[in-house]
Amino acid sequence: MNEWAHHDGSALYVSSETPSLGESIRLRVRIIHGSPYTSVRLRSTEDAEFHMEPMRRISATRYEDWYEASLRVVNPVTWYRFMLTRDDGAFDWLTASGVARREIDDSSDFRITVFDAAPEWERSGAVYQIFPDRFSRSQRYEDLRKPEWAIRMPWGEAPLGHGYDTGRQWYGGDLKGVEDHLDHIADLGFSTIYLTPFFTAGSVHRYDASTFAHVDPLLGGDDALESLARAVHGRGMHLLGDLTLNHTGVGHEWFQAASHDPECPEREFYMWPHWPDDYVSWRGVRSLPKLDWRSDVLMDRMVRGPRSLAARWLGDSGLDGWRIDVANQVGRHGTVDVNHRVATAIRRTIDDSLDGQGVLIAEYMHQDPSADLRGDGWQAAMNYGGFSRPAWAWLCDPSCAIDYMESGIPLRRRSGRATVVSLRGAISRVPWKVAAAQWNILDSHDTARIATIVDDRDRLDAAVALQMTYPGVPMVFAGDEQGAVGETGEGARVCMDWGEDGRHDGGVGCVYRDLLQLRRAHPALTSGGMRWVLADDDVIAFVRETSDERLLVVVSRDAGTMAAIDAETLAADEGDGPIRVYGRGKLERRGDDWAVSFGRAGAGVWSLPQVSVPRW
């Protein structure tokens, strides 16, 4: 896989990730020796018109040449690509999806924006997702009165995978239970906790909120959230909540007022083809009436300004930001589309409330989020399309028959070559600083568990290694470190098994712990660029690099695999050569290539000798 030319949005290639309007920044391209390219030109856009600029060679080493040009940022989003001229006079294009030896449209062009990136603590950290009802229940559970809608369940009994009662199975986990086990989360190496909804509701999943003004008493109420937040922040960690902006529950105080009083202000919060019995709901589910974001009153009450409900829960004794449920559907219905209006409003509220250090993550499970990820609204998304689905398709058990989201789309194994095309295509459609903030997910409370999808411990190790080393932020669903299983989202919402020592990890936790430690120890894995160097059916490899560090990541999905990496692309002949810093596999020089082999499925990470690169 000869990637003769490379550029990405990392600090190795871009002098400023967030320039001001009118500012000129510098861009660089690396050309590997042995390539057919003799010159490089920058093609950029100004006011939707293209502009060409020659690039000058600024450095030549044993392995590569570096070219540089200035780019003036005229628009909030500036698109660019590179023209690579061959020695025979022909030329190729270099875009975010790689080198194209054909004419292409602009969809995969690199882009630089003037919008602030997600804070450093989010991009360099790792997220641990908790479904509160199934994490841990404290002693207060014995004194709780079962709500009318609930079915009391013994802790540890397997939940239902389908049906109406899935939302009624109440195990009694609460926020005090989360606080009691912060040692476990911190010991694994996670820096951020993300809680699924905690507002009072009529189900255990709580996406049918009956108010946004109070924490569910079943979880301990408002005081329990404040206590948890202070404990989390006291450890230098962060806490995120889950906000449903697309709909409320039918029992929500707003909907109850709107459906009984046609003159109340809350009536305009919902969509009524015929009031009061005919209203728009989420996917036709009558218990989840959809919010109408054309209402300025709703905007002010919910997301806009310091007095909004979104702002109310932020701060030292609260949250560090929000994950937004079904964000792709917020403000969209038929001819209505005010999604960007809502996203930018809540983003401004979070930025103002937390001095630019808050986080806003959007859930996009099925739809490509790139059109909504300029960076002025949602900072990033849960990366199902750009990471989860390609990873599942490559790493799933060959006989896997799991139905993705019970949608009639079964998981089927695909090659490493196809997987790399999918991964590159997705990352090419968003600004690099957005890609660096995306939540890379192997599973969540809405999917089958990764241990069930791969059905093999060695492939599980490979999956986690890919997640922890790929550009973006790893998000892990509580229980994965215990080897939790489940074929559906509902069936995967299993109770944590705390064992006698209160920190049980089922022997799998060491994989997460070791890889998160590796991630913390090597800045190239959090802030470095990425070059693909191998895409075979069963083995893929890439280099993560900064000006001070280069790491080779190789992932194999099967035992007995072997592949070759071009020596000039790897540039690893200096000093002592590659040094393995994690995992398994063998890397050795054979002739003009480096050969990589695996006796078992898994992953290896090697520190490569540093080569000379130009500094800013």
Side-chain angles (χ1 to χ4, degrees):
M1 185 177 182
N2 289 332
E3 291 289 311
W4 296 117
H6 184 73
H7 172 90
D8 57 48
S10 69
L12 202 57
Y13 300 93
V14 179
S15 64
S16 173
E17 72 171 4
T18 306
S20 303
L21 278 176
E23 180 182 350
S24 289
I25 63 173
R26 288 177 287 166
L27 305 176
R28 288 175 178 165
V29 172
R30 164 192 266 151
I31 303 293
I32 305 297
H33 284 180
S35 81
Y37 304 123
T38 58
S39 64
V40 186
R41 298 176 73 190
L42 168 65
R43 178 190 185 274
S44 60
T45 59
E46 295 182 6
D47 299 329
E49 183 59 82
F50 81 92
H51 173 74
M52 300 294 295
E53 182 78 19
M55 302 187 74
R56 63 186 183 92
R57 189 171 65 174
I58 60 168
S59 175
T61 71
R62 172 184 172 186
Y63 300 102
E64 57 208 9
D65 293 338
W66 287 79
Y67 290 80
E68 180 179 294
S70 293
L71 172 69
R72 184 165 173 260
V73 179
V74 175
N75 307 111
V77 180
T78 299
W79 301 63
Y80 64 94
R81 67 169 84 163
F82 302 97
M83 180 180 176
L84 311 173
T85 302
R86 292 171 167 266
D87 47 19
D88 61 2
F91 67 88
D92 301 328
W93 293 112
L94 173 61
T95 73
S97 60
V99 174
R101 294 172 176 85
R102 66 189 189 283
E103 289 306 315
I104 54 175
D105 62 27
D106 297 346
S107 59
S108 64
D109 277 9
F110 300 102
R111 64 212 71 178
I112 194 82
T113 78
V114 300
F115 309 119
D116 289 337
E120 175 61 25
W121 65 259
E122 190 268 350
R123 293 192 289 173
S124 63
V127 181
Y128 189 79
Q129 179 191 18
I130 293 176
F131 189 81
D133 184 64
R134 312 289 160 85
F135 188 71
S136 176
R137 62 187 184 194
S138 64
Q139 294 181 350
R140 60 181 294 279
Y141 169 79
E142 302 300 331
D143 299 325
L144 291 176
R145 183 175 181 178
K146 180 182 75 67
E148 292 183 2
W149 53 262
I151 301 171
R152 193 184 290 268
M153 299 292 293
W155 191 263
E157 184 171 311
L160 294 171
H162 307 271
Y164 173 74
D165 284 342
T166 56
R168 303 174 62 215
Q169 291 187 300
W170 177 51
Y171 290 81
D174 58 12
L175 299 185
K176 180 62 168 64
V178 176
E179 187 174 345
D180 289 342
H181 291 286
L182 290 180
D183 282 346
H184 170 79
I185 301 169
D187 179 62
L188 287 169
F190 292 97
S191 56
T192 300
I193 295 171
Y194 151 50
L195 302 171
T196 59
F198 49 69
F199 297 116
T200 304
S203 69
V204 292
H205 58 69
R206 297 184 172 87
Y207 286 103
D208 58 335
S210 56
T211 182
F212 295 117
H214 294 290
V215 175
D216 196 328
L218 294 176
L219 296 178
D222 297 357
D223 291 342
L225 180 65
E226 181 175 346
S227 178
L228 173 61
R230 292 193 177 279
V232 168
H233 292 150
R235 292 170 174 266
M237 300 167 68
H238 295 83
L239 184 65
L240 302 179
D242 196 330
L243 192 59
T244 305
L245 298 183
N246 181 68
H247 54 266
T248 67
V250 73
H252 196 283
E253 55 196 3
W254 296 346
F255 187 77
Q256 287 298 304
S259 58
H260 290 92
D261 181 2
E263 303 301 323
C264 73
E266 291 80 7
R267 181 178 172 181
E268 68 178 49
F269 291 7
Y270 300 91
M271 298 180 173
W272 307 90
H274 295 94
W275 183 88
D277 299 320
D278 186 9
Y279 51 87
V280 177
S281 60
W282 176 74
R283 301 182 67 174
V285 178
R286 296 280 293 170
S287 61
L288 301 174
K290 186 176 176 68
L291 291 166
D292 188 344
W293 285 100
R294 292 172 294 183
S295 168
D296 282 327
V297 178
L298 175 60
M299 288 284 291
D300 290 337
R301 190 177 299 187
M302 189 67 176
V303 301
R304 190 162 55 194
R307 298 172 63 88
S308 66
L309 286 163
R312 177 196 188 286
W313 298 98
L314 302 174
D316 291 340
S317 58
L319 307 174
D320 299 288
W322 292 104
R323 174 265 197 189
I324 305 301
D325 182 53
V326 292
N328 56 303
Q329 298 180 52
V330 171
R332 289 179 168 136
H333 179 69
T335 60
V336 176
D337 188 345
V338 291
N339 183 276
H340 186 250
R341 177 183 190 234
V342 181
T344 52
I346 190 171
R347 169 68 178 278
R348 192 173 301 112
T349 295
I350 292 173
D351 284 348
D352 291 346
S353 299
L354 297 171
D355 296 324
Q357 291 299 302
V359 167
L360 180 62
I361 303 295
E363 182 199 27
Y364 279 66
M365 288 204 70
H366 311 290
Q367 182 185 359
D368 176 6
S370 58
D372 296 334
L373 290 181
R374 297 186 347 148
D376 54 342
W378 321 126
Q379 290 167 321
M382 299 179 77
N383 201 13
Y384 286 102
F387 181 81
S388 307
R389 292 201 296 274
W392 293 338
W394 185 53
L395 292 165
C396 69
D397 181 77
S399 61
C400 179
I402 291 174
D403 186 347
Y404 169 68
M405 289 298 296
E406 302 179 82
S407 58
I409 306 174
L411 283 181
R412 289 292 182 266
R413 223 180 197 213
R414 300 189 185 276
S415 72
R417 292 180 179 88
T419 298
V420 169
V421 170
S422 296
L423 291 169
R424 294 185 74 160
I427 207 170
S428 74
R429 292 191 291 272
V430 296
W432 180 263
K433 60 189 169 187
V434 171
Q438 300 268 62
W439 283 7
N440 294 330
I441 303 166
L442 290 173
D443 57 26
S444 74
H445 69 298
D446 284 323
T447 74
R449 289 278 186 170
I450 186 61
T452 298
I453 291 171
V454 300
D455 196 27
D456 179 89
R457 174 56 196 271
D458 289 337
R459 278 199 301 273
L460 178 61
D461 291 354
V464 180
L466 178 61
Q467 178 187 35
M468 297 294 176
T469 57
Y470 192 75
V473 180
M475 191 217 81
V476 174
F477 183 25
D480 283 348
E481 76 275 23
Q482 298 183 346
V485 296
E487 292 191 356
T488 68
E490 296 286 357
R493 299 174 185 181
V494 296
C495 296
M496 292 287 285
D497 178 6
W498 290 111
E500 294 182 0
D501 63 357
R503 298 172 70 175
H504 174 64
D505 66 17
V508 182
C510 60
V511 178
Y512 291 90
R513 189 178 295 110
D514 291 348
L515 280 160
L516 285 170
Q517 182 177 356
L518 181 78
R519 183 176 159 84
R520 290 193 303 274
H522 294 278
L525 295 178
T526 57
S527 61
M530 185 187 76
R531 288 188 293 138
W532 286 101
V533 297
L534 175 62
D536 209 344
D537 282 352
D538 298 319
V539 188
I540 62 176
F542 50 87
V543 173
R544 300 294 310 276
E545 55 194 340
T546 66
S547 58
D548 298 312
E549 180 181 41
R550 297 194 306 145
L551 295 179
L552 171 67
V553 179
V554 187
V555 185
S556 174
R557 70 176 178 183
D558 285 317
T561 56
M562 181 177 290
I565 303 175
D566 180 78
E568 288 182 315
T569 300
L570 209 54
D573 293 331
E574 302 288 345
D576 296 328
I579 299 172
R580 187 168 59 194
V581 295
Y582 173 82
R584 59 181 67 120
K586 182 184 292 185
L587 180 68
E588 54 189 347
R589 187 66 186 263
R590 290 188 181 176
D592 293 333
D593 297 321
W594 286 90
V596 60
S597 58
F598 285 82
R600 298 157 50 193
V605 180
W606 285 264
S607 176
L608 301 177
Q610 190 59 27
V611 296
S612 176
V613 298
R615 308 240 176 194
W616 298 110

